[in-house]
């Protein structure tokens, strides 16, 4: 029969060994060789050293690798010595090895054994602490004798952890030294009944040494896993607490006596050695006199009391922060004298200063300012925050401060202002929106009042309730009677014929308020500002209202045309951008806080910029352009008494386009300097709210300019037709024949009507150069050219052209062609080439009807612009057409061309 005995698995036994007292663990190792190996297992003791924090795995790995390297070198050296001894031939045969091999040499083995014994004697360590260990368990009734390793005095025991080495295979010996040095004090303290019993306080008399040993015992207690460990740990904690309280009393007495370099310094270091000195630090900070010094704390209400009714004075707060910074820096030097290096007491003091001094200062100040007025509140929060940032910069780190001292100080500032940031940012946005809306609203009200006053003045002599007839009816009543009304407008301003200088808008100071003495430039039309709307004197009202209805309506229309410049104001735009600049700069201060608060501040800056563009664009600029286009649509050149070198409403509208372009450039500079420059907005992110709002504003401006230019072209062509109809004389193209056989002198130059038309169109197209986009300018010029071509064709069909008058007509067409060539539009030039070729048919002598028919039928001659039937219609305007008609038509039938 086989007797099977139950055996515990090795894993369970190993786990049980971890919870045995050290003496029982040594006794267990003596039961058998296998148990001894289990007890001596190196990982068991490495685990205890690790939990005490004295094992360095990196150092152990390095030592192990060095040992392996040394072992390989020794083996290599030994192999070389063996080779030299056994591998060299005799009788001069130095290069030959012996063919026989000695398996055992007693002399060699004896020498090797002697050498290994000597090395072992040299490397034999001192007693590891377990040899003198009492084998009785500390849990027994008889206390273990207080023994310690020989050759160690109490002074050496204080440095027991500093001599521990991390060597694989030697962890048990290292732990044994620690155990022999600290276990007697540890178990003696666990059995003590009062603070007078522990032997540690009899062996060590100096507080520094007592604190050092108590600190060692707290570390050593982490390796105590045996039964009753909790009670022993509580006893140790209680004893440490009693000792710490005693040291704190000594520190506090020195604090009250302000004995910085004496008791305060000594006992602060004792507390630092004991457990880091946190209790002493808290006592120092909590009882610091800076928190009760009225001279330093100041009165936040001084900022309110020293200011006007709705204002706030920041001078008292600046003085308060300067005094506080000087006092805090002074305490930093004192802290370096009291506390040991490594304890960042200065940062803890700063946290307390921020919570108990700064926060208590700013909170009532902001609350009171908010109740008084929002502008003073906004100024106070931003100004106080900026002063606090300067306060943070003036603080000097202590010797124990971290490398990121500036970041930690900024965190203190953030904790002070974070409770107020949300309300501040929202109030900042609301305040700007209200201010901008009010600014634009006041402008609109004053403009409306001014328009109403003008209309009331001019129509004062007429019954408003009566049935008024149309302006054309009134015009017919007076039968072209000259009307003396308001003087016409000045036509072309100097700036309109050249691009806006870059320096006029790039200068940062141009974003200042109009009151600063800066203006957009002397060449810009002076649009009335918010406070100067009533002072406009460009069109003063006459002394008496017109007594004629036609005169009144014409004067009213002229006033509206002149007032087109005032439909939106560069001064209002400057005021709004100045207000937005101030709001964004205040809000942007809080971006420095970083984190969520900084991101919210950045988003609010973008919101202010978006609202600037919304109010300035939709409320101000867009409405002004819409009114201007409406005024242009009501313009009729036949109702104007005096025509000057230009279409007055179009000239003023183009000046309005220049003002709009200046505002657009100003917004672009504002964005670059206030948004993109400080990284508040990413110009490359097309989803960025500020970028989207800016593009929307520019698109709105382009659309309104395009709509106005479209209407302006209509007005310009009406003026062209008017000039052609009124200035072009019938005798220009059909002069009277010479009488009495005299030869008639001909002026081969262009007619007065053609010159005025070219000057008119050219002056208006040049006004857009530099103030609008090139693509839009090209489209405008092309449309003007095509419309001019149509108007000239219509005008030509109303004329009678003789052979003698054809020279004038050809000169006019050459003049139009030369002007169109300056526009540098090849497609448009083809139309006027065709028109110039068309004028040649009037120069053909009536005798050459066949040649005339060939010209009419030649489609390639006109580059496809005119068909043969259209040329035939123009040919019908010859003065001698009825005499040549039959011959021309016969010739055309002969060449196969049928006229319409």
């Amino acid at each position: 029969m086989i007797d099977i005995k139950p055996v515990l698995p090795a894993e369970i036994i190993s786990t049980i060994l971890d919870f045995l007292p050290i003496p029982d663990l040594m006794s267990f190792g003596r039961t058998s060789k296998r148990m001894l190996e289990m007890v001596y297992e190196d990982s068991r003791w490495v685990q205890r050293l690790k939990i005490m924090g004295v094992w360095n795995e990196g150092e152990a790995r390095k030592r192990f690798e060095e040992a392996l390297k040394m072992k390989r070198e020794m083996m290599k050296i030994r192999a070389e010595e063996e080779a030299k001894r056994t591998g060299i031939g005799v009788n001069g045969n130095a290069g030959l090895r012996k063919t026989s091999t000695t398996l055992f040499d007693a002399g060699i083995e004896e020498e090797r054994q002697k050498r290994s014994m000597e090395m072992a004697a040299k490397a034999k360590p001192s007693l590891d602490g377990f040899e003198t260990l009492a084998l009785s368990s500390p849990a027994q009734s008889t206390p273990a004798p207080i023994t310690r390793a020989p050759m160690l005095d109490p002074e050496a025991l204080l440095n027991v952890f500093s001599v521990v080495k991390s060597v694989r295979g030697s962890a048990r010996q290292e732990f044994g030294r620690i155990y022999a040095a600290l276990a007697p004090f540890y178990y003696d303290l666990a059995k003590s009944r009062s603070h007078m019993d522990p032997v540690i306080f009899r062996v060590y008399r100096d507080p520094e040494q007592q604190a050092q040993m108590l600190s060692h015992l707290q570390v050593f207690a982490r390796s105590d896993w045996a039964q009753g460990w909790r009670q022993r740990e509580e006893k140790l904690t209680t004893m440490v607490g009693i000792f710490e309280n005693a040291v704190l009393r000594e520190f506090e007495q020195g604090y009250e006596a302000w004995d910085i370099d004496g008791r305060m310094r000594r006992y602060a270091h004792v507390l630092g050695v004991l457990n880091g000195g946190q209790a002493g630090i808290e006592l120092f900070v909590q009882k610091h006199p800076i928190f009760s010094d009225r001279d330093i704390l100041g009165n936040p209400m001084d900022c309110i009391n020293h200011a006007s009714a709705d204002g706030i004075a920041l001078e008292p707060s600046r003085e308060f922060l300067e005094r506080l910074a000087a006092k805090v820096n002074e305490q930093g030097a004192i802290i370096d004298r009291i506390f040991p290096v490594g304890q960042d007491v200065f940062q803890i003091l700063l946290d307390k200063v921020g919570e108990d001094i700064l926060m208590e200062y700013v909170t009532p100040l902001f609350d009171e300012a908010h109740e008084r007025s929002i502008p003073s509140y906004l100024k106070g929060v931003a100004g106080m925050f900026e002063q606090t940032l300067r306060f943070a910069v003036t603080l000097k780190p202590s010797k124990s401060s971290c490398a990121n001292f500036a970041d930690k100080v900024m965190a203190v500032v953030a904790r002070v202002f974070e409770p107020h940031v949300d309300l501040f940012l929202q109030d900042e946005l609301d305040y700007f929106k209200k201010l901008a809306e009010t600014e634009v609203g006041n402008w609109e009200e004053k403009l409306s009042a001014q328009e109403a006053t003008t209309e009331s003045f001019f129509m004062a002599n007429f019954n408003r309730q009566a049935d008024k007839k149309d302006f054309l009816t009134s015009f017919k009543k007076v039968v072209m009677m000259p009307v003396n009304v308001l003087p016409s407008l000045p036509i072309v301003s100097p700036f309109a014929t050249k691009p806006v200088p870059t320096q006029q808008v790039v200068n940062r100071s141009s974003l200042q308020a109009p009151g600063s003495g800066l203006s957009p430039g002397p060449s810009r039309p002076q649009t009335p500002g918010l406070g100067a709307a009533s002072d406009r004197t460009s069109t003063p009202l006459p002394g008496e209202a017109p007594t004629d209805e036609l005169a009144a309506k014409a004067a009213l229309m002229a006033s509206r045309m002149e007032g087109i410049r005032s439909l939106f104001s560069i001064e209002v735009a400057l005021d709004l951008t100045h207000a937005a600049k101030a709001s964004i700069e205040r809000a942007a201060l809080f971006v420095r806080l970083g984190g969520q608060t900084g991101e919210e501040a950045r988003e609010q800056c973008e919101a202010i910029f978006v609202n600037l563009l919304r109010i300035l664009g939709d409320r101000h600029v867009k409405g002004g352009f819409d009114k201007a286009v409406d005024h242009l649509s009501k313009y009729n050149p036949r109702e104007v008494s005096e025509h000057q070198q230009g279409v007055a409403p179009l000239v003023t509208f183009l000046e309005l386009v220049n003002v709009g372009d200046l505002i657009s450039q100003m917004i672009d500079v504002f964005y670059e300097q206030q948004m993109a420059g400080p990284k508040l907005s990413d110009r490359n992110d097309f989803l960025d709210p500020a970028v989207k709002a800016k593009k929307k504003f520019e698109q709105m401006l382009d659309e309104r300019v395009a709509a106005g230019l479209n209407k302006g072209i209509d007005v310009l062509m009406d003026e062209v037709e008017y000039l052609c109809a009124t200035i072009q004389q019938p005798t220009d193209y059909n002069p009277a024949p010479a009488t009495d056989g005299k030869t008639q002198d001909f002026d081969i130059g262009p007619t007065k009507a053609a010159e005025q038309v070219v000057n008119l169109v050219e002056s208006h197209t040049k006004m857009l150069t530099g103030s609008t986009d090139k693509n839009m300018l090209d489209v405008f010029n092309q449309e003007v050219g095509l419309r001019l071509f149509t108007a000239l064709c219509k005008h030509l069909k109303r004329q009678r052209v003789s052979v003698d008058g054809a020279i004038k007509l050809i000169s006019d067409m050459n003049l139009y062609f030369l002007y169109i060539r300056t526009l540098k539009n090849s497609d448009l030039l083809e139309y006027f080439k065709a028109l110039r070729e068309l004028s040649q048919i009037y120069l053909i002598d009536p005798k050459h009807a066949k040649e005339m028919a060939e010209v009419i039928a030649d489609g390639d001659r006109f580059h496809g612009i005119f068909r043969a039937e259209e040329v035939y219609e123009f040919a019908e305007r010859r003065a001698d057409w009825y005499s040549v008609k039959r011959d021309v038509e016969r010739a055309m039938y002969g060449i196969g061309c049928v006229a319409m």
Side-chain angles (χ1 to χ4, degrees):
M1 299 271 315
I2 299 175
D3 188 11
I4 301 176
K5 297 181 180 180
V7 179
L8 285 174
E11 292 81 3
I12 296 179
I13 297 176
S14 178
T15 303
I16 294 173
L17 294 182
D18 289 337
F19 298 96
L20 287 180
I22 299 301
D24 293 348
L25 191 62
M26 295 296 104
S27 300
F28 181 81
R30 295 179 180 180
T31 57
S32 68
K33 184 176 181 180
R34 185 178 180 185
M35 296 301 104
L36 181 66
E37 291 175 354
M38 190 174 294
V39 170
Y40 279 15
E41 184 181 0
D42 196 58
S43 62
R44 186 180 310 282
W45 307 100
V46 168
Q47 184 181 5
R48 292 180 181 270
L49 293 176
K50 279 184 177 180
I51 202 169
M52 287 191 293
V54 295
W55 178 266
N56 188 335
E57 187 63 32
E59 180 185 351
R61 186 182 299 108
K62 183 179 179 181
R63 289 178 181 272
F64 179 72
E65 291 173 354
E66 290 177 353
L68 285 179
K69 184 178 180 181
M70 187 178 297
K71 184 177 181 180
R72 293 193 193 99
E73 291 177 353
M74 292 180 63
M75 291 177 63
K76 183 178 180 181
I77 293 173
R78 186 178 300 169
E80 291 176 354
E81 291 177 353
E82 291 292 336
K84 288 179 181 180
R85 184 175 9 229
T86 60
I88 305 299
V90 188
N91 298 327
N93 298 328
L96 301 177
R97 290 183 178 274
K98 292 183 179 181
T99 56
S100 61
T101 303
T102 303
L103 297 178
F104 179 77
D105 190 331
I108 295 175
E109 291 299 324
E110 183 178 358
E111 183 180 354
R112 181 182 299 171
Q113 185 176 6
K114 185 185 299 183
R115 189 163 56 248
S116 62
M117 290 177 65
E118 290 177 356
M119 291 178 63
K122 292 180 181 179
K124 183 176 181 181
S126 58
L127 297 176
D128 58 5
F130 292 124
E131 285 77 359
T132 60
L133 196 64
L135 297 181
S136 58
S137 172
Q140 297 174 357
S141 59
T142 304
I146 301 176
T147 60
R148 59 177 180 269
M151 305 300 292
L152 291 179
D153 58 359
E155 295 289 340
L157 297 180
L158 297 175
N159 300 318
V160 63
F161 286 125
S162 62
V163 296
V164 175
K165 297 180 180 179
S166 300
V167 182
R168 291 180 181 176
S170 302
R172 180 177 59 85
Q173 288 84 351
E174 298 296 331
F175 180 81
R177 294 191 188 93
I178 297 173
Y179 189 89
L182 302 180
F185 295 110
Y186 178 71
Y187 289 109
D188 174 75
L189 189 145
K191 295 179 179 61
S192 61
R193 297 182 178 179
S194 68
H195 65 280
M196 301 298 295
D197 295 341
V199 69
I200 184 176
F201 298 120
R202 296 195 296 271
V203 175
Y204 301 102
R205 293 296 182 179
D206 291 337
E208 290 82 0
Q209 294 179 339
Q210 294 171 349
Q212 184 71 49
M213 182 53 68
L214 288 174
S215 177
H216 287 345
L217 294 182
Q218 291 179 88
V219 174
F220 178 74
R222 301 175 193 167
S223 65
D224 182 14
W225 304 332
Q227 185 177 6
W229 66 270
R230 189 180 300 276
Q231 291 77 10
R232 291 188 290 274
E233 184 178 9
E234 290 177 355
K235 181 68 74 173
L236 175 62
T237 303
T238 302
M239 198 61 62
V240 170
I242 294 173
F243 178 79
E244 183 180 32
N245 290 334
V247 176
L248 274 177
R249 284 195 297 271
E250 294 294 331
F251 179 80
E252 186 174 5
Q253 291 175 4
Y255 198 3
E256 294 174 353
W258 203 243
D259 186 7
I260 296 175
D261 297 318
R263 283 178 290 176
M264 290 182 69
R265 175 181 174 83
R266 180 184 184 186
Y267 292 108
H269 283 69
V270 170
L271 290 171
V273 171
L274 179 64
N275 54 12
Q278 191 61 34
I281 295 172
E282 291 180 359
L283 177 64
F284 176 81
V285 173
Q286 292 294 335
K287 297 191 65 175
H288 202 284
I290 194 175
F291 300 106
S292 57
D293 191 345
R294 302 304 305 175
D295 294 336
I296 296 176
L297 297 180
N299 183 10
M301 292 300 105
D302 290 343
C303 297
I304 303 293
N305 299 332
H306 294 171
S308 59
D310 293 333
I312 185 170
L314 297 177
E315 185 62 22
S317 61
R318 184 189 63 80
E319 295 175 354
F320 155 72
L321 290 173
E322 287 181 353
R323 292 194 304 268
L324 182 62
K327 191 67 175 179
V328 170
N329 285 328
E330 179 185 343
Q331 297 308 307
I334 293 175
I335 287 172
D336 288 337
R337 291 163 57 188
I338 296 176
F339 294 93
V341 177
Q343 295 180 355
D344 195 359
V345 183
F346 189 52
Q347 186 61 48
I348 299 175
L349 178 64
L350 286 180
D351 293 341
K352 184 71 172 175
V353 167
E355 181 179 352
D356 289 1
I357 297 181
L358 290 178
M359 193 171 292
E360 293 298 326
Y361 187 91
V362 302
T363 300
L365 173 61
F366 293 165
D367 292 343
E368 181 65 23
H370 191 274
E371 291 180 2
R372 289 197 169 198
S373 70
I374 296 299
S376 63
Y377 167 74
L378 298 177
K379 179 183 176 182
V381 174
M384 190 69 194
F385 179 72
E386 195 168 7
Q387 290 178 349
T388 308
L389 291 180
R390 288 198 292 266
F391 160 80
V393 172
T394 58
L395 297 181
K396 300 176 182 178
S398 65
K399 295 179 180 179
S400 300
S401 295
C402 301
N404 59 343
F405 173 76
D407 295 337
K408 289 190 173 183
V409 175
M410 183 58 69
V412 174
V413 176
R415 286 194 295 271
V416 172
F417 283 88
E418 275 179 354
H420 308 281
V421 172
D422 291 341
L423 177 61
F424 167 78
L425 293 177
Q426 188 59 47
D427 284 350
E428 186 68 76
L429 178 60
D430 295 341
Y431 172 72
F432 171 74
K433 289 166 62 176
K434 183 178 179 181
L435 178 65
E437 295 281 0
T438 303
E439 186 90 5
V440 176
N442 290 343
W443 164 264
E444 292 174 349
E445 288 179 5
K446 292 191 175 183
L447 194 62
S448 300
Q450 187 178 22
E451 291 177 353
T453 302
T454 303
E455 184 173 358
S456 299
F457 174 79
F458 285 123
M459 305 302 294
N461 293 331
F462 302 96
N463 185 5
R464 284 188 165 282
Q465 304 301 325
D467 243 350
K468 297 271 189 304
K469 295 185 178 180
D470 185 73
F471 182 88
L472 186 58
T473 306
S474 302
F475 182 79
K476 289 178 180 178
K477 287 181 181 179
V478 296
V479 193
M480 296 294 291
M481 183 180 297
V483 182
N484 295 323
V485 290
L486 294 178
S488 300
L489 298 176
I491 301 304
V492 182
S493 62
F495 75 93
T497 59
K498 58 178 181 289
V500 179
T502 305
Q503 59 268 23
Q504 278 187 300
V505 292
V506 174
N507 190 355
R508 184 183 181 92
S509 62
S510 67
L511 298 180
Q512 296 181 358
S516 62
L518 298 176
S519 63
S523 60
R524 290 287 173 187
Q526 294 298 319
T527 54
L530 189 61
S534 60
D535 299 333
R536 190 175 66 176
T537 59
S538 57
T539 54
L541 296 178
E544 296 181 0
T547 57
D548 182 78
E549 184 179 1
L550 174 62
K553 287 189 176 182
L556 181 59
M557 184 177 65
S559 176
R560 287 177 177 174
M561 291 301 104
E562 192 279 336
I564 242 178
R565 297 191 194 95
S566 304
L567 293 176
F568 61 78
S569 166
I570 187 67
E571 284 81 4
V572 171
L574 282 171
D575 288 343
L576 295 184
T577 51
H578 180 72
K581 175 177 178 289
S583 294
I584 289 176
E585 286 180 348
R586 286 194 294 261
L589 290 173
F590 294 91
V591 177
R592 305 182 192 179
L593 295 179
Q596 183 179 356
T597 302
E599 181 63 21
E600 290 175 355
R602 190 193 65 79
E603 292 176 356
Q604 207 72 343
C605 292
E606 288 190 326
I608 293 172
F609 180 74
V610 170
N611 278 276
L612 166 67
L613 297 187
R614 179 184 62 83
I615 296 172
L616 180 61
D618 296 343
R619 281 286 308 276
H620 195 54
V621 176
K622 180 180 178 182
F625 269 114
D626 290 343
K627 289 182 181 179
V629 173
D630 182 63
H631 289 173
L632 276 175
S633 64
K634 297 177 181 178
Y635 175 78
N636 187 348
R638 290 165 180 81
E639 299 171 355
V640 178
S641 60
E642 297 180 8
H643 287 268
Q644 300 182 5
Q645 186 61 37
V647 183
L650 184 56
V651 171
T652 53
F653 177 79
L654 295 180
E655 290 184 353
L656 192 69
V657 172
N658 280 280
V659 176
D661 179 65
L662 182 61
I663 292 177
S664 177
Q665 294 184 51
M666 185 171 62
I667 291 298
D668 187 64
V669 172
F670 181 88
Y671 175 80
E672 291 296 328
Q673 292 183 351
Q674 301 297 323
M675 302 299 296
K679 307 298 183 183
L680 299 177
S681 175
D682 184 4
R683 65 171 65 90
N684 298 320
D685 183 7
F686 66 93
L687 295 178
D688 189 276
V691 175
K692 291 170 63 178
K694 183 171 177 289
K695 289 183 178 179
K696 183 179 179 182
F697 175 82
E698 293 171 349
Q699 182 180 5
M700 179 277 299
L701 197 60
D702 291 341
E703 290 175 354
R704 290 302 175 275
V705 170
L709 292 179
N710 185 50
K711 185 61 65 176
I713 292 173
D714 294 339
V715 172
L716 182 61
M717 291 302 109
D718 289 344
E719 188 73 13
V720 168
E721 292 179 0
Y722 178 80
L723 291 178
C724 291
T726 57
I727 300 178
Q728 191 82 66
Q729 301 298 323
T731 57
D732 287 345
Y733 299 149
N734 187 18
T739 60
D740 300 334
K742 295 181 180 180
T743 305
Q744 188 175 1
D745 295 332
F746 293 102
D747 182 9
I748 62 174
T751 63
K752 182 180 179 182
E755 290 177 345
Q756 289 197 15
V757 167
V758 170
N759 291 336
L760 173 72
V761 177
E762 184 178 20
S763 63
H764 288 81
T765 53
K766 283 185 176 180
M767 289 179 66
L768 287 177
T769 304
S771 62
T772 55
D773 182 66
K774 185 179 183 300
N775 294 330
M776 182 180 295
L777 182 62
D778 292 340
V779 172
F780 175 77
N781 289 337
Q782 184 172 1
E783 185 65 20
V784 168
L786 291 175
R787 296 282 294 275
L788 177 62
F789 172 80
T790 304
L792 293 177
C793 290
K794 186 188 300 184
H795 174 63
L796 185 56
K797 289 181 180 180
R798 296 193 185 104
Q799 305 300 315
R800 280 293 175 183
V801 185
S802 64
V803 175
D804 294 336
I807 298 175
K808 280 284 188 181
L809 177 61
I810 293 174
S811 298
D812 286 354
M813 295 307 163
N814 283 330
L815 180 63
Y816 294 134
F817 175 80
L818 292 175
Y819 161 67
I820 294 299
R821 191 165 60 181
T822 61
L823 299 182
K824 298 179 180 180
N825 189 318
S826 57
D827 295 335
L828 186 60
L829 197 61
E830 295 296 325
Y831 286 88
F832 286 85
K833 283 182 180 178
L835 196 60
R836 189 174 59 176
E837 292 294 332
L838 178 65
S839 63
Q840 303 294 327
I841 66 173
Y842 300 105
L843 195 60
I844 301 175
D845 192 88
K847 299 177 183 179
H848 302 95
K850 185 177 179 180
E851 287 78 0
M852 189 183 305
E854 291 176 353
V855 171
I856 294 174
D858 188 3
D860 295 336
R861 186 183 187 93
F862 305 103
H863 308 287
I865 305 298
F866 296 115
R867 301 191 305 273
E869 49 269 31
E870 292 175 335
V871 179
Y872 182 83
E873 291 179 1
F874 284 104
E876 290 178 336
R877 305 313 301 165
R878 286 178 61 100
D880 56 359
W881 175 250
Y882 292 104
S883 61
V884 300
K885 177 180 179 182
R886 180 179 299 178
D887 296 335
V888 172
E889 288 181 351
R890 185 182 298 114
M892 292 181 67
Y893 277 110
I895 60 177
C897 180
V898 180
M900 294 294 295

